[in-house]
């Protein structure tokens, strides 16, 4: 086996701690913060301030954020939700959890993101929501579809699980007026361990999210302090963000500038090292505006699986994001032919990408990829 420069390169993704996270958990525990509480509220306020929005609702995961946002938009049985097949299965499971049907749509092969024209072409009278996925952290602009969506009362729920910190023009993703869902899972740009958040469009929407995440109980700290009872005013799950996770997220947020710099530098190192290499194409991340959570390439000429195995043998942690969802057994009843996505499913490969890696590591991984491609070329 070829020796790698750093053992970190064997990992596709790996959480990064800045120091201080463990102490923050310990002090939350000694302050008796186990359930929803002050730290979670502080995390919400700090995230809102970072994004430049009035309010943010924290939940237990990115998947829970998507589920809650769809329920609050009134999505349920009989409805259809437009979603790219080329996403993490969580996006689709959130739709299925509401009782609605996913309608799988294509993405642009250059960016792996949905485009307005595709959304417009897939609208039906049953469509109640659209979920653009910000693949690789890249912002998606559905403005050209807006009039048609508004006319039909279709809610856009952005799956920005990978896009915390990214920009859409002069505003952060989350501050552009959409319902936006973030994930703070272990391998995202900012981690809480597990966690997620939803950016509401109105204070009323925020109330609905809070009720849905917390057993349907109308939340009011003042009220809870004054009375011995509580009011359950509708359906609700138990998907609040634990203060222990919020404590981790608060430390991570203090250091977020470091994540932005490192992740952009890594992505650019890959782009420079792969420039001019035949048989492989970078998925365009728009890195000027994106805080990338990963680096995806397309391996051409039907060689992805072979190249993938050869790189793994050389100790390079490559991955596949994602096997298309419309070909998954769980979602077979909603299958429709999606040739572009099926092709991406055979071509896309992700390279080692996390904050433990240096630019030299990225150049090393890119060089291994170049060697593997050259070795098998011309057969
Ligand atoms: C990570 C991710 C999710 C799910 O977030 P969790 O916090 O793991 O529940 C959803 N969609 C996409 C695109 C993701 O990358």
């Amino acid at each position: 086996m070829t020796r790698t420069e750093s053992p970190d390169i064997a990992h596709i993704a790996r959480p990064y701690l800045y120091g201080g996270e463990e102490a923050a958990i310990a002090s939350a525990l000694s302050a008796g913060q186990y359930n929803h509480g002050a730290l979670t509220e502080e995390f919400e306020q700090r995230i809102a301030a970072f994004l430049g929005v009035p309010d943010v609702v924290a939940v237990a995961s990115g998947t829970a954020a998507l589920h809650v946002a769809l329920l609050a938009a009134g999505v349920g049985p009989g409805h259809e939700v437009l979603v790219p097949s080329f996403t993490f299965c969580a996006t689709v499971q959130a739709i299925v959890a509401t009782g609605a049907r996913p309608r799988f749509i294509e993405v642009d092969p250059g960016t792996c993101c949905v485009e307005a024209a595709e959304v417009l072409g897939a609208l039906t009278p049953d469509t109640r929501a659209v979920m653009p996925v910000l693949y690789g952290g890249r912002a998606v602009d559905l403005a050209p579809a807006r009039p048609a969506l508004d006319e039909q009362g279709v809610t856009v729920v952005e799956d920005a699980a990978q896009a915390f910190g990214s920009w859409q023009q002069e505003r952060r993703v989350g501050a552009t007026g959409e319902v936006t869902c973030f994930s703070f899972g272990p391998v995202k740009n900012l981690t809480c361990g597990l966690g997620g958040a939803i950016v509401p469009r109105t204070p009323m929407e925020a109330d609905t999210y809070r009720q849905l995440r917390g057993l349907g109980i109308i939340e009011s700290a003042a009220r809870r302090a004054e009375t011995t009872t509580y009011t359950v005013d509708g359906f609700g799950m138990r998907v609040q963000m634990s203060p222990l996770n919020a404590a981790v997220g608060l430390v991570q947020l203090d250091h977020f500038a470091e994540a932005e710099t490192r992740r952009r530098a890594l992505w650019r190192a890959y782009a420079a090292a792969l420039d001019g290499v035949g048989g492989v194409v970078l998925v365009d991340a728009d890195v000027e505006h994106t805080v990338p959570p990963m680096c995806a390439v397309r391996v051409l000429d039907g060689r992805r699986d072979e190249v993938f195995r050869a790189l793994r043998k050389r100790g390079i942690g490559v991955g596949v994001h994602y096997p298309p969802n419309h070909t998954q057994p769980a979602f077979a009843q909603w299958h429709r032919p999606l040739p572009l996505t099926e092709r991406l499913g055979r071509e896309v490969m992700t390279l080692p990408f996390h904050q433990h890696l240096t630019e030299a590591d990225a150049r090393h991984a890119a060089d291994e990829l170049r060697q593997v491609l050259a070795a098998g070329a011309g057969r």
Side-chain angles (χ1 to χ4, degrees):
M1 196 194 283
T2 313
R3 289 201 69 80
T4 57
E5 290 187 1
S6 140
D8 290 323
I9 211 156
H11 299 267
I12 311 163
R14 213 184 130 200
Y16 187 84
L17 298 181
Y18 299 94
E21 286 92 343
E22 287 180 24
I25 292 174
S27 74
L29 283 173
S30 50
Q33 287 211 40
Y34 301 94
N35 201 339
H36 186 74
L39 273 170
T40 309
E41 280 159 29
E42 186 185 341
F43 181 70
E44 291 180 335
Q45 285 155 17
R46 290 275 310 282
I47 293 286
F50 173 86
L51 297 174
V53 298
D55 197 7
V56 159
V57 179
V59 290
S61 69
T63 310
L66 297 167
H67 187 196
V68 164
L70 289 172
L71 289 175
V75 172
H79 298 145
E80 206 168 64
V81 177
L82 306 187
V83 64
S85 171
F86 202 65
T87 181
F88 187 41
C89 59
T91 324
V92 186
Q93 293 288 25
I95 299 169
V96 175
T98 68
R101 306 186 298 275
R103 182 175 168 83
F104 293 117
I105 59 176
E106 292 275 34
V107 289
D108 176 276
T111 63
C112 294
C113 288
V114 294
E115 300 201 308
E118 177 71 16
V119 167
L120 285 174
L123 274 182
T124 74
D126 289 343
T127 309
R128 192 62 173 259
V130 183
M131 298 174 86
V133 175
L134 283 66
Y135 185 93
R138 184 192 174 106
V140 172
D141 183 10
L142 291 184
R146 178 67 54 194
L149 296 176
D150 285 349
E151 192 181 328
Q152 208 181 301
V154 175
T155 304
V156 175
V157 175
E158 288 187 326
D159 181 348
Q162 301 179 357
F164 184 74
S166 292
W167 297 82
Q168 182 162 1
Q169 280 132 22
E170 278 79 55
R171 288 177 291 181
R172 295 266 189 195
V173 165
T176 60
E178 306 291 358
V179 173
T180 303
C181 298
F182 293 110
S183 163
F184 304 120
V187 302
K188 304 302 208 256
N189 288 344
L190 180 149
T191 187
C192 292
L194 279 179
I198 321 166
V199 183
R201 292 172 300 184
T202 63
M204 222 170 78
E205 218 163 53
D207 289 345
T208 307
Y209 298 161
R210 292 194 161 99
Q211 199 169 322
L212 282 166
R213 78 174 174 187
L215 296 170
I217 296 170
I218 297 178
E219 268 186 40
S220 153
R223 208 185 121 79
R224 277 201 306 273
E226 275 166 22
T227 68
T228 51
T229 186
Y230 56 82
T231 304
V232 182
D233 193 40
F235 174 71
M237 299 175 290
R238 183 106 163 119
V239 292
Q240 295 106 323
M241 175 182 279
S242 151
L244 304 179
N245 296 107
V248 172
L250 282 164
V251 174
Q252 293 256 318
L253 190 57
D254 283 337
H255 295 274
F256 192 72
E258 208 177 305
E260 293 191 65
T261 310
R262 173 116 300 274
R263 288 173 175 279
R264 287 204 174 115
L266 262 184
W267 199 92
R268 288 190 169 115
Y270 272 121
L274 291 172
D275 189 34
V277 176
V280 66
V281 182
L282 271 167
V283 174
D284 185 10
D286 186 21
V287 73
E288 290 296 309
H289 304 104
T290 301
V291 182
M294 62 183 190
C295 181
V297 297
R298 289 162 56 201
V299 182
L300 308 178
D301 312 315
R303 298 190 58 200
R304 197 270 313 270
D305 292 3
E306 165 215 334
V307 168
F308 179 95
R309 283 191 297 267
L311 285 170
R312 280 276 176 99
K313 264 202 199 126
R314 289 169 176 240
I316 308 294
V318 285
V320 171
H321 298 82
Y322 297 95
N325 283 287
H326 70 288
T327 63
Q328 294 287 5
F331 311 132
Q333 59 181 304
W334 301 295
H335 180 278
R336 54 197 288 259
L338 296 170
L340 294 175
T341 297
E342 285 151 28
R343 185 169 167 196
L344 287 173
R346 292 188 299 269
E347 289 183 347
V348 165
M349 182 177 78
T350 40
L351 302 171
F353 200 93
H354 50 81
Q355 289 171 239
H356 297 272
L357 295 177
T358 63
E359 285 146 87
D361 289 325
R363 283 192 292 273
H364 172 66
D367 196 51
E368 294 279 342
L369 171 56
R370 190 187 51 73
Q371 285 176 31
V372 166
L373 285 165
R379 289 154 319 139

